[in-house]
Amino acid sequence: MSGEAQNVQDVNGTVSRVIRMGTRKSQLARIQTDYVAEKLKNLYPDVNLGIVPMSTIGDKILDTALSKIGEKSLFTKELENALERNEVDLVVHSLKDLPTTLPDGFTIGAVLQRESPYDAVVLHPKNSGLTLDSLPDGSVIGTSSLRRAAQLKKRFSHLEFKDIRGNLNTRLKKLDEKEDYSAIILAAAGLKRMGWETRISQVLNPEDCMYAVGQGALAVEVRARDSDILEMVSNLHHPETVLRCIAERAFLRRLEGGCSVPVAVHTEVKDSVLSLTGAVYSLDGTDCLKDTMEASITPGNQAEESADFQHVGVTALNVPQFSQVAAEKLGVALADLLLSQGAMEILTTARKLNDAR
């Protein structure tokens, strides 16, 4: 594969640039990349898009819980390496897979409109019509997420929770073809994008299970120096999603959280006010610190303008800087509040226990 951006010439002699899009090889990753490609093609009909699929560490290590591998960039490192080597021009990710601190030289140039950020219950066919509440005592629920398990153990104490790994297709196959699990918990967004909405038995509301930082949103990562690509993809930004995700990512970064600690959020924007609820949990869900803070995101206070155009890795050229600064400060402030109440002790214990498992 050439390390240089390529151009193509059509029958009329017109030369146009080929934009190479990096993606993971899984079916869901390809669907998400095709979706972004279609959006770009609608905005820039003359641009040629090439898709470059590749495997990541997270795709290769399928017999270990994500939180045990101890690598924050499980699903992104190889893609970023290709971006650094100039083998691709942009990479499409699920935002929740992207660490809150990106390697030097990279930035998130677009955060697209969020699909449902909630988690969904997918039942074994024999349990059709039941819910987590009505499943028999001792039923085994599969989830690879400490965040989900911590919240659901507390809320549904009659159930057992066990790790399940693999992409969406693999996990559904494990559920349907064996008797190991009564149900599994998956992100609703992924199921919807795959066209498998009919498998969703129950969508978990925030009272039952708050979601992961960035869940349901797609991100386009680019080289920060590529101003033309950055400008091109910035038109894909969805301002409300950008601000919600900046607040969520700032909250997580301040807590130094990642895959190996149970941290959950819920955000909404109403009447130009951004509301962020954040929580940290012990592994069994018995210890929990949770609170909500709000901030106005109405532009206008020029004193709050920032010279730093990147906020927790996101560069949003078409979203007012004041609003981005306010969103980032909100995330930091809520994290500081929970830290003052003992959040670090809960997370440190959770990390140690998880490492010892």
Side-chain angles (χ1 to χ4, degrees):
M1 193 184 327
S2 163
E4 292 304 316
Q6 299 150 337
N7 296 323
V8 294
Q9 192 167 2
D10 67 15
V11 289
N12 300 317
T14 306
V15 175
S16 64
R17 185 171 176 187
V18 176
I19 305 293
R20 299 154 304 167
M21 305 174 68
T23 176
R24 287 167 62 196
K25 284 182 176 173
S26 75
Q27 187 184 354
L28 177 59
R30 290 300 302 266
I31 286 171
Q32 293 179 166
T33 302
D34 288 345
Y35 173 78
V36 174
E38 188 185 344
K39 293 265 186 200
L40 282 172
K41 200 72 183 160
N42 289 339
L43 286 168
Y44 307 100
D46 295 335
V47 165
N48 280 278
L49 301 169
I51 292 177
V52 183
M54 55 194 93
S55 293
T56 66
I57 302 169
D59 295 314
K60 293 169 187 166
I61 305 176
L62 294 175
D63 56 352
T64 309
L66 294 179
S67 59
K68 296 285 285 176
I69 302 170
E71 167 66 68
K72 276 189 180 176
S73 46
L74 280 175
F75 295 112
T76 60
K77 203 167 193 173
E78 283 81 357
L79 298 168
E80 286 175 339
N81 287 345
L83 200 54
E84 188 169 28
R85 291 191 299 263
N86 214 17
E87 292 170 356
V88 296
D89 302 300
L90 58 88
V91 175
V92 178
H93 302 281
S94 293
L95 182 57
K96 70 182 172 72
D97 291 338
L98 273 172
T100 52
T101 301
L102 300 182
D104 285 347
F106 298 125
T107 191
I108 297 165
V111 179
L112 284 77
Q113 183 166 5
R114 199 172 209 165
E115 178 52 90
S116 167
Y118 299 107
D119 290 315
V121 179
V122 180
L123 292 168
H124 189 287
K126 70 179 181 191
N127 294 317
S128 180
L130 298 181
T131 63
L132 290 185
D133 264 322
S134 58
L135 278 170
D137 286 8
S139 294
V140 175
I141 311 301
T143 174
S144 53
S145 158
L146 296 180
R147 170 190 58 82
R148 290 172 182 146
Q151 294 180 82
L152 297 174
K153 277 175 186 172
K154 188 177 181 183
R155 171 72 180 77
F156 303 97
S157 54
H158 66 295
L159 303 175
E160 281 186 43
F161 293 85
K162 288 194 176 164
D163 280 327
I164 184 167
R165 282 292 320 280
N167 60 37
L168 276 186
N169 311 54
T170 309
R171 279 185 265 180
L172 282 172
K173 204 171 176 186
K174 284 180 182 176
L175 172 70
D176 292 344
E177 294 181 4
K178 297 182 178 179
E179 298 288 322
D180 297 355
Y181 303 97
S182 299
I184 57 177
I185 313 295
L186 299 167
L191 289 163
K192 288 182 176 185
R193 290 187 183 119
M194 292 284 273
W196 295 341
E197 262 182 288
T198 54
R199 289 305 308 265
I200 297 176
S201 315
Q202 178 183 1
V203 174
L204 296 171
N205 62 40
E207 288 71 43
D208 289 336
C209 190
M210 294 202 303
Y211 42 83
V213 165
Q215 185 162 319
L218 297 182
V220 181
E221 188 178 17
V222 300
R223 291 179 288 267
R225 67 173 187 273
D226 283 355
S227 52
D228 55 340
I229 299 273
L230 192 54
E231 196 172 326
M232 178 186 286
V233 301
S234 70
N235 289 307
L236 300 175
H237 271 306
H238 181 251
E240 182 180 305
T241 304
V242 169
L243 295 174
R244 288 172 63 188
C245 290
I246 284 176
E248 293 171 17
R249 285 171 63 81
F251 173 72
L252 182 63
R253 181 154 83 179
R254 189 67 154 199
L255 291 173
E256 298 179 338
C259 264
S260 57
V261 289
V263 173
V265 293
H266 180 261
T267 49
E268 56 187 353
V269 174
K270 207 170 181 180
D271 301 327
S272 296
V273 172
L274 173 59
S275 164
L276 168 66
T277 301
V280 300
Y281 302 88
S282 58
L283 290 189
D284 63 1
T286 51
D287 285 337
C288 166
L289 285 173
K290 179 178 172 183
D291 220 317
T292 303
M293 292 178 84
E294 294 181 341
S296 169
I297 48 170
T298 307
N301 185 350
Q302 297 307 307
E304 288 286 357
E305 288 294 334
S306 166
D308 182 9
F309 284 101
Q310 224 182 112
H311 300 278
V312 275
V314 179
T315 301
L317 303 176
N318 54 352
V319 177
Q321 276 296 304
F322 166 80
S323 303
Q324 294 184 62
V325 172
E328 185 171 3
K329 284 185 172 178
L330 175 64
V332 171
L334 183 60
D336 283 344
L337 177 64
L338 296 190
L339 287 167
S340 74
Q341 297 168 356
M344 193 49 71
E345 289 77 4
I346 292 176
L347 293 177
T348 302
T349 303
R351 199 176 271 119
K352 282 179 183 167
L353 285 172
N354 184 57
D355 289 344
R357 283 199 307 171

